[in-house]
Amino acid sequence: MVYDALVLVSFGGPERPEDVLPFLQNVTRGRGVPPERLAEVAEHYMHFGGVSPINQQCRDLLAAIREDFAANGVDLPVYWGNRNWDPMLADTVARMRDDGITRALAFVTSAYGGYSSCRQYQEDIASARAAVGPDAPLIEKLRQFWDHPGFIEPHADAVRAALAQLDPAKRDSTRLVFTAHSVPMSAAATAGPHGGRYTAQMEEAARLVHAAAAPDLAYDLVWQSRSGPPQVPWLEPDVNDHLATLPEQGVTSVVVSPIGFVSDHLEVVWDLDTEALETAKQLGLDFVRAGTPGVDPRFVAMVRELVAERTAPDGERLRRRLGELPAWDTCPAVCCVPPARRP
């Protein structure tokens, strides 16, 4: 298959104080989130001048991908469009059409399967193409990359670097805590063709990073950044609630690794670097937050490798470990569609 562009697709974020509330309204439209919760989250952004880090992180990743493509002979222009804020994906797709692009690949800044982390991006792409019209380029999403070495290895190195900041005399009482974005339990149950894909992939990614970085330490996978109505059950425990249970277990130090994320955007720098850090201080826990892949060269090279994997001739497609077919063989069709909606 021949493709003539790559588009980076991300969540988006405000870059001015006056954009914060309209952005949050875009994010939560139709989800029944109370206005007081929006106001609370808006204050988180105001602590950073009303600017989300995510757009600059996308610009940095965009530049790194272009540089990596050029250095490795990949002749594909790279575009960027967001789900919730400028540059909006529909505007980017219109520009791609005007530039003569006919068939593109999409790299989404979310590693996992699940509705909001995968299938909704498929819907965003379809909506953007519909808004542009019949001349819109075809756009196919690259596969999930939750267990790709280009994602796992930077996370593992970040955990090692975080552990190096703690008192080595307390190593035996140090706990590794992986975090990811919580989702409604109903969404977790229906993620993937057989359900449970989001949590299963997260558990395996945590296991891989733990095995590579600190196999001697105990670890947990917990959740953060719940945003839905209070009556809807979401994945638990929350990271702050979990931290509160650790001192009674003899834990003195924690490294928190945001395994669910690819960059240090607001839900990392607020929910972990601000709220979880304050919780740890109140509990008397030594606390270090591990980094995310960002523009680590291995993560950037992974994007090129995913493109090469997708564009290889059918008989020579790269197989994932254990001989399994790449996840993208099923991803576009049924990966994250709830059972009642599957064809």
Side-chain angles (χ1 to χ4, degrees):
M1 189 68 65
V2 176
Y3 300 90
D4 50 8
L6 176 76
V7 57
L8 173 67
V9 184
S10 193
F11 192 81
E15 297 192 274
R16 303 179 303 170
E18 56 267 39
D19 294 338
V20 171
L21 195 55
F23 162 75
L24 291 174
Q25 290 167 339
N26 279 352
V27 172
T28 60
R29 186 169 288 112
R31 290 170 51 190
V33 178
E36 57 270 23
R37 174 58 179 163
L38 290 188
E40 178 186 345
V41 176
E43 281 302 309
H44 301 170
Y45 283 90
M46 293 309 176
H47 278 270
F48 302 94
V51 178
S52 168
I54 195 168
N55 274 0
Q56 186 56 50
Q57 290 162 0
C58 282
R59 293 185 186 100
D60 295 342
L61 180 58
L62 196 70
I65 292 171
R66 286 170 174 160
E67 182 177 348
D68 179 83
F69 277 12
N72 290 278
V74 179
D75 186 19
L76 286 180
V78 186
Y79 295 81
W80 167 37
N82 288 328
R83 169 185 289 173
N84 296 299
W85 207 248
D86 297 331
M88 297 298 289
L89 184 57
D91 296 333
T92 299
V93 173
R95 183 158 63 90
M96 293 167 68
R97 175 204 59 196
D98 294 344
D99 289 346
I101 303 301
T102 60
R103 192 181 197 101
L105 291 168
F107 176 75
V108 170
T109 56
S110 174
Y112 297 92
Y115 178 71
S116 61
S117 54
C118 179
R119 187 67 193 184
Q120 191 174 3
Y121 281 107
Q122 299 274 20
E123 294 175 357
D124 294 334
I125 291 168
S127 296
R129 294 187 64 247
V132 171
D135 295 332
L138 296 174
I139 300 175
E140 300 174 14
K141 179 182 174 293
L142 291 168
R143 69 168 172 90
Q144 299 149 14
F145 52 88
W146 53 278
D147 63 346
H148 193 289
F151 179 69
I152 294 297
E153 290 173 3
H155 271 296
D157 280 352
V159 168
R160 293 187 191 99
L163 285 167
Q165 298 179 50
L166 293 171
D167 182 353
K170 297 181 179 180
R171 176 87 179 194
D172 290 344
S173 58
T174 297
R175 183 72 63 90
L176 179 55
V177 177
F178 294 101
T179 70
H181 205 301
S182 186
V183 299
M185 292 183 68
S186 58
T190 57
H194 306 294
R197 175 169 286 187
Y198 180 73
T199 49
Q201 290 179 346
M202 209 70 68
E203 288 165 359
E204 177 65 2
R207 187 193 69 79
L208 290 170
V209 173
H210 169 257
D216 59 311
L217 299 181
Y219 77 95
D220 309 289
L221 172 63
V222 302
W223 309 97
Q224 63 170 89
S225 310
R226 177 195 168 119
S227 61
Q231 68 272 20
V232 176
W234 282 49
L235 292 175
E236 295 179 338
D238 177 80
V239 59
N240 294 284
D241 296 337
H242 179 69
L243 291 175
T245 70
L246 296 182
E248 64 191 33
Q249 300 176 45
V251 174
T252 62
S253 311
V254 292
V255 165
V256 174
S257 170
I259 191 70
F261 305 103
V262 303
S263 67
D264 290 4
H265 53 65
L266 190 102
E267 287 172 323
V268 173
V269 298
W270 176 263
D271 294 356
L272 299 182
D273 296 354
T274 306
E275 290 187 337
L277 174 60
E278 181 58 30
T279 297
K281 286 180 178 178
Q282 293 174 4
L283 295 166
L285 290 169
D286 297 334
F287 177 102
V288 181
R289 197 266 295 170
T292 50
V295 291
D296 184 288
R298 293 166 294 185
F299 183 67
V300 176
M302 179 196 75
V303 179
R304 171 170 42 83
E305 292 168 10
L306 293 178
V307 170
E309 177 184 277
R310 188 60 176 267
T311 56
D314 284 359
E316 299 174 10
R317 285 178 174 169
L318 301 179
R319 283 350 189 216
R320 301 182 73 193
R321 56 186 175 74
L322 304 181
E324 296 173 352
L325 285 169
W328 50 258
D329 276 13
T330 57
C331 181
V334 297
C335 163
C336 303
V337 183
R341 293 170 51 194
R342 289 180 198 144

